[in-house]
């Protein structure tokens, strides 16, 4: 069974997806890690990241896999190496190339084949796994999401005003909705869950109820 959890930045989808996977004893597929691994490989091979055609050819030659919550490149665990600032700043070059997204989406489908998977992102239900048995679109009002992000930053020692966080978030939302590929949107058959005013445990309970109802339905 495949459970997709999509939504805008700050909706809490990553945390919820991990918790849902843990409660169901499903695997969690970190799709972003696959993009990061491909980016790491491209940087290491000195590929021109602005050459879309070359990037597509290069990604098609990669051996990417997902095992025990680790991403592997040619069999080597690169889960730590993909978290560098250089990779973070460069991932957008790959994510915006349609042919690269097509290739990485197929890798995700291959990984999920025959496995119980929870996955999250922007377009998992709408594009990557259109036949997923359970699709959730997790969202919240812009101000609520900005407040959560502000608290996260404060917890890490970074104090940013709500206005600044909201402005950056609104810009990212616009960019995510306007992308040529992988744009942010709910699948037509996704259940939209607005988490305004809800505690994290209430959100988890609602999604778990939805998933279990899909598991029990014929």
């Amino acid at each position: 069974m495949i459970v997709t959890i999509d939504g805008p930045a700050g909706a809490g989808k990553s945390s919820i997806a991990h918790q849902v996977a843990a409660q169901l004893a499903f695997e969690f597929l970190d799709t972003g890690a696959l993009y990061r691994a491909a980016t790491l490989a491209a940087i290491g091979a000195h590929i021109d990241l602005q050459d879309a055609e070359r990037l597509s050819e290069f990604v098609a030659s990669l051996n990417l896999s997902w095992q025990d919550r680790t991403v592997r490149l040619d069999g080597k665990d690169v889960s730590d190496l993909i978290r560098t600032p250089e990779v973070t700043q460069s991932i957008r070059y790959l994510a915006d190339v349609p042919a690269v997204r097509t290739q990485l989406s197929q890798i995700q489908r291959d990984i999920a084949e025959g496995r119980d998977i929870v996955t999250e992102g922007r377009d998992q239900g709408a594009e990557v796994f259109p036949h997923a048995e359970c699709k959730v679109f997790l969202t919240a009002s812009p101000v609520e999401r900005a407040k959560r992000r502000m608290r996260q930053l404060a917890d890490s020692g970074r104090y940013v005003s709500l206005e600044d966080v909201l402005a950056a978030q609104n810009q990212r939302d616009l960019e995510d909705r306007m992308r040529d590929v992988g744009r942010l949107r709910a699948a037509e058959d996704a259940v939209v869950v607005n988490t305004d005013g809800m505690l994290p445990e209430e959100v988890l309970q609602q999604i778990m109820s939805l998933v279990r109802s899909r598991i029990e339905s014929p």
Side-chain angles (χ1 to χ4, degrees), residues 2 108-115 117 129:
I2 297 174
Q108 293 166 45
R109 296 185 194 105
D110 292 343
I111 290 171
E113 182 70 28
R115 299 160 84 169
I117 290 282
F129 297 107

Side-chain angles (χ1 to χ4, degrees), residues 139-155:
T139 189
S141 67
V143 171
E144 179 64 24
R145 290 189 286 122
K147 287 180 178 178
R148 293 172 186 171
R149 178 58 177 162
M150 188 174 67
R151 287 194 292 268
Q152 289 176 344
L153 291 171
D155 289 342

